[in-house]
Amino acid sequence: MKNKFIMFPSVILRRLYMKLIRVVLIPLFIFFAACSTLVLKPVDFAWPIESVLRVDNDGFVKEQRYTLSFNTKPLFFEETGDSTAYLDKDVRIIRDTKGYYFVTSKNFKNVYVFEGINGEMKLNNKIEISEKEGVNNPVFNQRIPYVELVDNGKKILLSNAGIEGEDKNEK
Amino acid sequence: MRNKLFIITLVFIVLSCLAPAIYAQSDYELVQSFKQKISEIEEDIKNPKSLEDLDAIYDRINSLKDEFASHRELLDKSLYPDDFNKSFSKLINAYNTRRNDFTQIDVLQIQVTSLQEQLDSLNRHNSDLLSRVQVLEQQSKTDKSRLAQLEKTIGELKVSLQKRDDMVLSMVDSLLPQPNIGEALSPQEQQKIYNKLGKNNVLYNIKRLLSDNIRFIEITKLYPEDVDDIKEQQDDFARMWRSIGPRMVEIYSGKQGANYLKDIDESFTQWKVTLERGVWKTINSEFAKYNINLSKFSTGRNFTLAATSFINDEIKNADVKSHDETLITYKNFADSAWYGNVKPEWVSNLIDYKMMSEAQKDTIEWRISEWKEKVSPAKMDYLFILVAVIAIVIILIFFLRKYSGSKPKTEPGQV
């Protein structure tokens, strides 16, 4: 008698399954299908050589070939703490194969790694090159998959994570 | 010996310390250095002093190619939009073009020397011919047998002048580089051309061309076909002068001979003025041939005024002068000079050359028709019509009478 009460007729069960499919599973399928993004890979963002850009009076630099332009005032302020440090300066910039921008300038102690997102250059990493003195004559070379920083004959390989071969725990 | 060893060791130590710095070159600087060397060669290709200099540049192109061959991959990527090969093919193209220029310059130089000799001889010949024509013009006024000789000499002179003019123009073409808009000559190029122009007396020859042509118009009688030819020559000259004038001013600026340019400008204007005067003089002489003496004129407006005032005077004097005399003057002016000669031969050309307007031509013709009214009034025409009508009526009457007279008589008994 008890069993008879609990048992549903098979027609009712089938209807219940159908409803479940309609109400939950179909919308879920549509939702996930809409969320999947098209991805093109692999991509090589690397610039073959660095660009040396003169900072204008408003603090902007403009790269003609890749039509890149940005404001360097916050960069110089971050490096020197001086809001006018950008005046009469050059900026050296190169993009690595992953798409990160490596930026530095004469007498900088750091190389700044940026990623370009939503109309911004967002700092990804700040790689310290020298604690005491800045780089005298820095140049970037593309050495895929790294970026090479040369300063007065001294070479360092860089990636967005930092200096290649340097133990990160040491730092 | 010890010291020597020490110095050598020291040098080796210093060099080995510096080695990383020497070899740690920036890709950017390498590309920049390549670009700079390419642009230096490009500049040198533009201004070589001789063909030997240019050939030396070819060797430099090859050694630059060898020097940077090992960096070809980097340069291919960095020399956007060019690449390694394209940079060199551009240089080679520029080199070949310049080499071609040099070869042409050599050929042209030879041509110019030969032209110069021919030109001198033609100038002398033309001077002789001009003097002969002048003498013959005078003689032919009294001795008609000289006319044939005069015409022959004028024909010879025309051909000779045309030949000399062509020669001067081709000499100018040979010596001056083709004008490129917006491209100024370097001071060295200017000096080079200045020397060449001076050596070949180009400005003198241009001025001589103009003065001889002016003299030709002054001493000969112009025919409409002559005017066409001269106008064409003037257009050619104007085109040439417009094209080379600014460059000449650039080359002669502040140098000896600058005044020649002004003289040439003035002579060209004088040539045009002389031609127009010559045409009007000829037209005046056409009227004079029929004893119509018009007052002097040198423009379309003056000519219209001279012609209309002559007609006005004739109309006024028609009542005073005898009818025959008036009629003869009218026929000479209108039928012989205007409609018989000046209008068919000159007027359409004058309008084309903008020396006379349609309105001026119409004014003269309107006055001529008024004059005709006065000389042979319309009542004369009515008289002729009346005579003709009477004649027709008489003829009709004659035929009607004849017809009614020859009508057959009807036989008695016939209905």
Side-chain angles (χ1 to χ4, degrees):
Chain A
M1 192 67 190
K2 196 184 174 185
N3 260 348
K4 217 178 180 183
F5 179 74
I6 294 167
M7 287 283 283
F8 284 100
S10 61
V11 176
I12 298 171
L13 263 178
R14 208 179 294 142
R15 279 188 186 161
L16 201 68
Y17 287 147
M18 287 307 288
K19 218 168 209 177
L20 187 76
I21 289 168
R22 264 192 228 131
V23 172
V24 180
L25 292 180
I26 293 174
L28 259 179
F29 173 77
I30 293 168
F31 175 75
F32 283 114
C35 285
S36 68
T37 317
L38 177 69
V39 176
L40 304 178
K41 60 182 183 180
V43 179
D44 181 8
F45 288 103
W47 292 359
I49 51 165
E50 65 175 340
S51 291
V52 182
L53 310 172
R54 190 76 179 157
V55 183
D56 69 16
N57 289 338
D58 300 322
F60 277 81
V61 287
K62 198 170 187 180
E63 213 293 327
Q64 299 290 342
R65 179 171 166 185
Y66 304 104
T67 57
L68 173 73
S69 164
F70 59 91
N71 184 4
T72 62
K73 278 185 200 171
L75 176 73
F76 278 94
F77 187 75
E78 169 73 18
E79 179 67 23
T80 61
D82 178 0
S83 62
T84 58
Y86 66 89
L87 291 168
D88 206 26
K89 291 280 172 21
D90 288 328
V91 161
R92 306 184 90 95
I93 181 168
I94 194 165
R95 199 173 190 196
D96 77 353
T97 189
K98 288 182 195 165
Y100 291 103
Y101 295 95
F102 290 70
V103 186
T104 195
S105 181
K106 200 176 174 185
N107 299 327
F108 270 30
K109 290 173 185 165
N110 304 289
V111 169
Y112 293 80
V113 182
F114 292 97
E115 49 189 320
I117 303 169
N118 292 332
E120 291 173 344
M121 296 268 276
K122 193 180 165 191
L123 187 68
N124 174 271
N125 195 4
K126 182 175 166 181
I127 305 168
E128 189 180 272
I129 305 299
S130 153
E131 255 181 75
K132 290 175 188 171
E133 286 175 15
V135 283
N136 277 333
N137 194 15
V139 295
F140 287 126
N141 291 326
Q142 191 65 255
R143 299 289 179 260
I144 291 171
Y146 303 108
V147 165
E148 182 185 65
L149 174 73
V150 184
D151 181 39
N152 289 335
K154 194 182 161 196
K155 295 176 184 178
I156 307 167
L157 289 177
L158 305 171
S159 71
N160 66 306
I163 298 172
E164 185 56 24
E166 190 177 68
D167 189 353
K168 277 155 195 160
N169 292 333
E170 250 176 55
K171 277 181 105 182
Chain B
M1 187 67 189
R2 251 191 191 172
N3 279 348
K4 215 173 184 181
L5 268 173
F6 176 73
I7 291 166
I8 291 167
T9 319
L10 196 70
V11 166
F12 268 104
I13 291 166
V14 171
L15 278 177
S16 52
C17 287
L18 282 174
I22 293 165
Y23 291 109
Q25 197 185 14
S26 154
D27 290 351
Y28 173 79
E29 278 162 15
L30 187 132
V31 174
Q32 290 304 108
S33 142
F34 178 79
K35 282 182 181 172
Q36 195 188 334
K37 283 177 180 169
I38 290 275
S39 67
E40 275 171 15
I41 293 178
E42 274 172 351
E43 274 307 303
D44 291 347
I45 287 174
K46 280 182 196 164
N47 292 316
K49 284 178 186 140
S50 62
L51 200 57
E52 288 72 36
D53 281 359
L54 193 66
D55 287 340
I57 292 172
Y58 188 76
D59 296 338
R60 274 171 61 201
I61 295 173
N62 283 332
S63 35
L64 186 70
K65 200 171 183 177
D66 293 343
E67 188 187 337
F68 281 87
S70 57
H71 303 290
R72 185 180 174 149
E73 199 184 329
L74 173 71
L75 292 167
D76 277 343
K77 286 180 185 172
S78 312
L79 296 170
Y80 181 83
D82 289 349
D83 58 25
F84 185 77
N85 272 345
K86 219 186 253 180
S87 306
F88 284 102
S89 46
K90 272 186 180 174
L91 280 186
I92 295 291
N93 282 344
Y95 163 82
N96 285 335
T97 312
R98 199 70 185 126
R99 201 168 201 292
N100 196 28
D101 288 349
F102 258 101
T103 320
Q104 276 185 346
I105 288 166
D106 276 355
V107 172
L108 288 173
Q109 194 58 50
I110 296 162
Q111 281 177 356
V112 165
T113 314
S114 137
L115 276 175
Q116 181 60 44
E117 286 161 10
Q118 290 178 44
L119 201 57
D120 288 343
S121 128
L122 268 176
N123 275 336
R124 281 194 298 275
H125 184 57
N126 288 345
S127 286
D128 289 348
L129 285 174
L130 280 164
S131 312
R132 266 168 61 196
V133 167
Q134 202 166 9
V135 172
L136 284 168
E137 280 277 357
Q138 291 302 321
Q139 288 174 347
S140 64
K141 281 177 188 166
T142 49
D143 183 359
K144 296 292 172 198
S145 64
R146 294 281 184 184
L147 272 174
Q149 201 184 343
L150 172 66
E151 273 176 21
K152 195 182 155 207
T153 317
I154 286 176
E156 201 182 326
L157 177 61
K158 267 190 217 167
V159 172
S160 187
L161 282 175
Q162 182 64 51
K163 203 170 163 188
R164 195 274 317 274
D165 293 356
D166 291 345
M167 218 170 256
V168 171
L169 295 184
S170 53
M171 183 185 258
V172 171
D173 269 351
S174 318
L175 291 174
L176 276 178
Q178 286 306 305
N180 292 329
I181 294 159
E183 198 182 297
L185 291 171
S186 68
Q188 292 87 351
E189 278 177 316
Q190 285 183 17
Q191 188 59 41
K192 223 159 132 185
I193 299 166
Y194 174 78
N195 292 342
K196 271 195 247 168
L197 294 172
K199 197 175 153 197
N200 293 289
N201 292 328
V202 170
L203 291 189
Y204 164 78
N205 279 311
I206 294 175
K207 200 163 176 281
R208 179 79 189 264
L209 173 156
L210 294 168
S211 55
D212 281 355
N213 278 300
I214 291 169
R215 203 163 157 225
F216 174 79
I217 297 169
E218 282 170 346
I219 62 172
T220 54
K221 181 178 182 290
L222 284 174
Y223 293 93
E225 56 273 19
D226 291 338
V227 181
D228 277 342
D229 291 344
I230 295 169
K231 279 274 176 192
E232 208 175 299
Q233 282 174 32
Q234 287 182 342
D235 288 344
D236 287 346
F237 185 87
R239 236 188 326 274
M240 182 273 286
W241 196 238
R242 256 201 314 274
S243 130
I244 67 159
R247 194 133 271 186
M248 291 291 231
V249 171
E250 193 187 342
I251 292 165
Y252 277 86
S253 165
K255 294 194 180 95
Q256 200 186 350
N259 285 340
Y260 251 113
L261 299 179
K262 206 178 148 203
D263 287 351
I264 288 171
D265 267 341
E266 284 170 3
S267 296
F268 181 52
T269 314
Q270 200 193 335
W271 186 17
K272 289 198 281 188
V273 171
T274 311
L275 177 66
E276 290 197 3
R277 274 197 202 133
V279 169
W280 292 123
K281 200 175 140 193
T282 309
I283 290 172
N284 207 338
S285 68
E286 289 298 333
F287 281 97
K289 241 169 36 182
Y290 300 102
N291 295 323
I292 307 291
N293 295 315
L294 299 179
S295 54
K296 251 189 169 180
F297 48 85
S298 57
T299 61
R301 191 170 165 271
N302 287 350
F303 170 53
T304 313
L305 278 175
T308 50
S309 69
F310 180 87
I311 296 169
N312 288 344
D313 288 347
E314 283 300 313
I315 291 172
K316 259 190 243 165
N317 297 334
D319 300 329
V320 184
K321 283 163 82 175
S322 73
H323 181 259
D324 288 349
E325 202 182 338
T326 312
L327 197 63
I328 287 167
T329 314
Y330 169 81
K331 280 183 176 169
N332 282 342
F333 186 98
D335 299 343
S336 306
W338 178 257
Y339 288 113
N341 203 319
V342 175
K343 192 183 174 189
E345 286 190 12
W346 289 99
V347 172
S348 60
N349 284 345
L350 292 176
I351 292 169
D352 286 347
Y353 304 145
K354 294 188 171 35
M355 290 169 68
M356 188 180 187
S357 67
E358 282 278 354
Q360 286 165 344
K361 181 201 85 176
D362 291 344
T363 307
I364 293 171
E365 292 194 337
W366 176 68
R367 294 301 290 157
I368 289 173
S369 64
E370 277 189 331
W371 188 13
K372 190 182 177 188
E373 277 286 310
K374 186 80 181 172
V375 174
S376 51
K379 62 185 177 190
M380 291 287 284
D381 295 336
Y382 291 132
L383 195 69
F384 282 122
I385 293 164
L386 192 69
V387 169
V389 168
I390 291 167
I392 290 163
V393 168
I394 291 168
I395 291 163
L396 277 173
I397 291 167
F398 173 74
F399 275 105
L400 281 171
R401 275 198 177 168
K402 199 178 175 190
Y403 175 72
S404 57
S406 62
K407 206 175 177 183
K409 286 174 183 172
T410 49
E411 290 293 324
Q414 272 186 333
V415 182

